[in-house]
């Protein structure tokens, strides 16, 4: 089994994610960097974070790297620092949206983007073969700290948007950072943007006492209620490491993340034309919006690193995933929750409410399910052949799984990266058609497995 999943190494802290693992991964990274260079190390608010951060620092120093410890930071904040500082790499101790008992280790490239799959593979090989190269005693690394990283990040966002336009509106915003790393940046950013800020769960607490770090509609009921009672303009909630943000409109209604992605694309394209990038799992809404704006839409494999790299390659004006992970190239090439919030306020500052913006994107219905499957590779190969035989003259994408486009909707059949299951997603203009497309997808899996 691979060490790195879609978002780094994850597991239960002090069980699978141990100090020994953190030391060894840091030493593998040091070996990958030829035992020299500068690495930035930080963590989210999880209570096991300090233990793992110190272990990672120790491993990096042992392999001869210089380390800057930035301690508690949102993931996009450390990414911004790594890029601007021209470091060689970064290590962030985070399990993003996973429950409190989890933690994880994520590697960042010197340009601030997530580590490439090839880079991870090399680090992983060193880790499994234990072929670390340690530095001689005279070359063990130097440790410094910098605790101004979050201020630097907030300042960077303000520089990337029309702050004055937002300040003129005196927005009222209710913020739920879920006791995660966003508590250190988002409320401060919003106050600097002239907003009246009401916070809930904005105290740092790695036990996440009130809600799970995953900002789903079910755990954001209080946020909705406070928006209505306080007559706020919007509500914003973040996941544990604050690279994602989700929003609730002025009526207390959760804005679906696919709708958020589309409304952002639509409004950015009204100001600036250029390619937009999104994974194959995203909504048809993105295709409609790109077509209307007369720009190219580029579909990628699932995973924010694929979106970010493709955006860099094509000089895209915007990109993102349908889970609240949005990427704004004017700031940096990574998912950025606080930047999403600032950008949304900038769009709203033209006089639009969030509910109105959400109503402005095309309506689609989705259906999804999963089917257990032991032989993922064989089954996917069979499905690929089957749909090519059964549907001639129909567009079929195999960038990631198998996606079949019909005139009135699409089906995507994708193997899970972590479990023996195949996921089926479908979308159409009506719910009944979305459901029947989803059933077609289930049928292909059953015929093939
Ligand atoms: Mg996250």
């Amino acid at each position: 089994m691979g060490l790195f999943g879609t978002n780094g190494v994850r597991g239960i802290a002090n069980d699978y994610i141990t100090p020994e693992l953190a030391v060894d991964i840091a030493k593998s990274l040091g070996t990958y960097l030829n035992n020299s260079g500068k690495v930035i190390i930080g963590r989210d608010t999880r209570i096991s974070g300090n233990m793992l951060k110190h272990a990672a620092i120790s491993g990096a120093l042992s392999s001869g790297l210089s380390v800057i410890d930035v301690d508690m930071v949102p993931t996009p904040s450390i990414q911004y620092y790594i890029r601007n500082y021209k470091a060689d790499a970064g290590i962030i101790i985070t399990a993003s949206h996973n429950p409190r008992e989890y933690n994880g280790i994520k590697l960042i490239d010197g340009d601030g983007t997530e580590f490439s799959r090839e880079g991870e593979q090399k680090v992983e090989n060193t880790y499994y073969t234990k072929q670390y190269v340690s530095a001689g005693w005279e070359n063990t690394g130097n440790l410094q700290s910098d605790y101004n990283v979050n201020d630097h990040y907030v300042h960077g966002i303000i520089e990337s948007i029309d702050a004055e336009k937002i300040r003129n509106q005196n927005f009222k915003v209710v913020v739920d950072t879920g006791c995660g790393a966003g508590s250190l940046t988002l409320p401060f950013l919003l106050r600097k943007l002239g907003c009246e800020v009401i916070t809930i769960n904005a105290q740092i607490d790695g036990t996440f006492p009130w809600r799970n770090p995953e900002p789903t509609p079910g755990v954001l009921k209080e946020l909705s209620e406070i928006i209505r009672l306080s007559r706020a303009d919007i509500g914003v909630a973040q996941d544990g490491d604050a690279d994602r943000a989700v929003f609730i409109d002025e009526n207390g209604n959760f804005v679906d993340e696919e709708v958020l992605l589309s409304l952002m694309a639509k409004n950015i394209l009204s100001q600036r034309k250029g390619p937009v990038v999104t994974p194959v799992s995203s909504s048809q809404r993105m295709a409609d919006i790109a077509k209307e704006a007369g720009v190219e839409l580029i579909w990628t494999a699932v995973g924010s690193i694929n979106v970010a790299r493709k955006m860099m390659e094509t000089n895209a004006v915007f990109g993102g995933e349908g889970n609240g992970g949005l990427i704004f190239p004017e700031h940096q090439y990574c998912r950025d929750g606080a930047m999403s919030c600032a950008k949304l306020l900038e769009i709203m500052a033209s006089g639009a409410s969030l509910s109105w913006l959400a109503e402005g994107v095309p309506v689609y219905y989705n259906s999804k399910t999963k089917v257990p499957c032991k032989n993922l590779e064989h089954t996917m190969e069979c499905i690929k052949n089957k749909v090519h035989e059964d549907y001639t003259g129909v567009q079929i994408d195999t960038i990631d799984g198998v996606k079949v486009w019909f005139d009135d909707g699409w089906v995507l059949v994708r193997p899970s990266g972590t479990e023996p299951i195949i996921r089926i997603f479908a979308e159409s203009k009506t719910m009944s058609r979305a459901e029947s497309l989803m059933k077609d997808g289930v049928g292909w899996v059953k015929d093939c497995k």
Side-chain angles (χ1 to χ4, degrees):
M1 201 185 82
L3 181 66
F4 292 96
T6 321
N7 282 295
V9 189
R10 294 262 179 93
I12 309 285
N14 225 11
D15 175 55
Y16 177 59
I17 306 292
T18 58
E20 291 82 358
L21 177 79
V23 168
D24 289 352
I25 290 177
K27 280 162 73 177
S28 304
L29 175 68
T31 307
Y32 172 78
L33 295 172
N34 297 318
N35 303 84
S36 79
K38 192 156 275 174
V39 60
I40 317 292
I41 302 183
R43 65 176 178 112
D44 67 15
T45 62
R46 287 165 195 275
I47 52 175
S48 55
N50 237 332
M51 169 186 86
L52 295 166
K53 182 195 77 174
H54 284 97
I57 290 174
S58 192
L61 295 174
S62 143
S63 58
L65 300 177
S66 297
V67 174
I68 300 178
D69 171 14
V70 296
D71 202 45
M72 237 184 238
V73 282
T75 295
S77 174
I78 190 173
Q79 289 183 271
Y80 188 69
Y81 186 78
I82 290 164
R83 185 198 69 181
N84 289 355
Y85 197 90
K86 299 188 169 52
D88 296 287
I91 301 175
I92 172 135
I93 307 298
T94 178
S96 185
H97 60 274
N98 287 143
R100 65 192 83 172
E101 62 272 25
Y102 282 76
N103 214 328
I105 301 168
K106 185 168 175 158
L107 302 182
I108 307 295
D109 231 325
D111 63 359
T113 63
E114 293 166 75
F115 234 57
S116 66
R117 293 278 175 253
E118 302 76 53
E120 281 182 345
Q121 197 64 54
K122 284 182 185 159
V123 171
E124 192 172 307
N125 286 344
T126 307
Y127 170 82
Y128 280 125
T129 57
K130 307 244 173 262
Q131 313 229 308
Y132 327 109
V133 180
S134 293
W137 67 269
E138 71 283 26
N139 289 324
T140 54
N142 177 41
L143 174 65
Q144 290 171 280
S145 46
D146 187 343
Y147 302 140
N148 296 310
V149 175
N150 292 328
D151 284 347
H152 177 66
Y153 165 69
V154 165
H155 184 75
I157 293 176
I158 293 171
E159 297 272 280
S160 309
I161 51 164
D162 190 344
E164 220 31 61
K165 193 175 170 187
I166 299 171
R167 286 191 190 112
N168 289 335
Q169 297 296 316
N170 302 111
F171 285 119
K172 188 189 270 190
V173 184
V174 189
V175 175
D176 179 349
T177 43
C179 299
S183 311
L184 294 160
T185 48
L186 188 57
F188 303 98
L189 167 71
L190 292 171
R191 288 195 186 106
K192 283 193 159 73
L193 292 173
C195 300
E196 185 185 335
V197 183
I198 300 170
T199 59
I200 55 173
N201 301 318
Q203 77 280 21
I204 287 159
D205 189 338
T207 65
F208 305 116
W210 188 247
R211 73 159 171 92
N212 209 38
E214 169 107 75
T216 53
V219 299
L220 301 176
K221 298 248 157 58
E222 288 75 21
L223 179 58
S224 292
E225 193 62 26
I226 295 169
I227 292 164
R228 275 194 302 267
L229 292 172
S230 66
R231 297 176 186 274
D233 296 291
I234 57 166
V236 50
Q238 294 193 298
D239 72 329
D241 68 331
D243 58 345
R244 291 192 287 135
V246 299
F247 297 89
I248 293 181
D249 72 17
E250 72 283 6
N251 304 315
N253 296 320
F254 185 87
V255 177
D256 180 277
E257 291 100 322
E258 291 283 0
V259 170
L260 173 70
L261 173 70
S262 306
L263 79 82
M264 212 55 108
K266 182 179 170 179
N267 286 279
I268 288 169
L269 287 171
S270 73
Q271 296 162 1
R272 215 152 28 110
K273 298 277 186 258
V276 287
V277 181
T278 202
V280 283
S281 52
S282 289
S283 169
Q284 173 74 22
R285 292 179 183 95
M286 287 294 276
D288 293 1
I289 284 161
K291 193 173 170 196
E292 204 187 304
V295 303
E296 191 189 356
L297 172 68
I298 301 154
W299 301 99
T300 68
V302 174
S304 57
I305 181 61
N306 301 315
V307 178
R309 290 278 154 97
K310 188 55 91 179
M311 286 176 70
M312 292 166 93
E313 220 177 282
T314 59
N315 211 8
V317 296
F318 175 67
E321 307 169 305
N323 62 2
L326 310 182
I327 305 173
F328 303 89
E330 63 272 36
H331 185 46
Q332 57 175 345
Y333 286 101
C334 69
R335 292 186 293 204
D336 195 328
M339 180 66 189
S340 300
C341 186
K343 196 73 196 174
L344 183 59
L345 291 174
E346 187 193 85
I347 293 167
M348 288 171 61
S350 296
S353 68
L354 179 52
S355 66
W356 187 84
L357 290 168
E359 277 166 21
V361 299
V363 177
Y364 279 94
Y365 294 89
N366 294 80
S367 179
K368 63 179 176 184
T369 190
K370 54 189 177 185
V371 179
C373 175
K374 286 200 182 82
N375 196 343
L376 293 176
E377 213 167 300
H378 162 84
T379 308
M380 288 310 300
E381 199 51 41
C382 166
I383 293 171
K384 207 180 285 180
N385 295 333
K386 179 179 168 56
V387 297
H388 273 114
E389 271 169 33
D390 291 1
Y391 304 101
T392 47
V394 167
Q395 188 189 335
I396 298 167
D397 277 332
T398 53
I399 308 164
D400 192 350
V402 177
K403 186 173 184 176
V404 185
W405 298 86
F406 298 98
D407 288 339
D408 58 349
W410 55 262
V411 194
L412 170 66
V413 180
R414 241 188 113 237
S416 160
T418 49
E419 298 166 86
I421 54 170
I422 289 182
R423 296 181 197 280
I424 298 116
F425 307 85
E427 185 176 65
S428 183
K429 281 276 182 195
T430 65
M431 193 62 209
S432 59
R433 179 63 177 144
E435 275 167 3
S436 92
L437 285 169
M438 185 269 289
K439 282 180 192 144
D440 289 348
V442 172
W444 306 338
V445 178
K446 292 204 166 136
D447 288 347
C448 279
K449 75 171 184 175

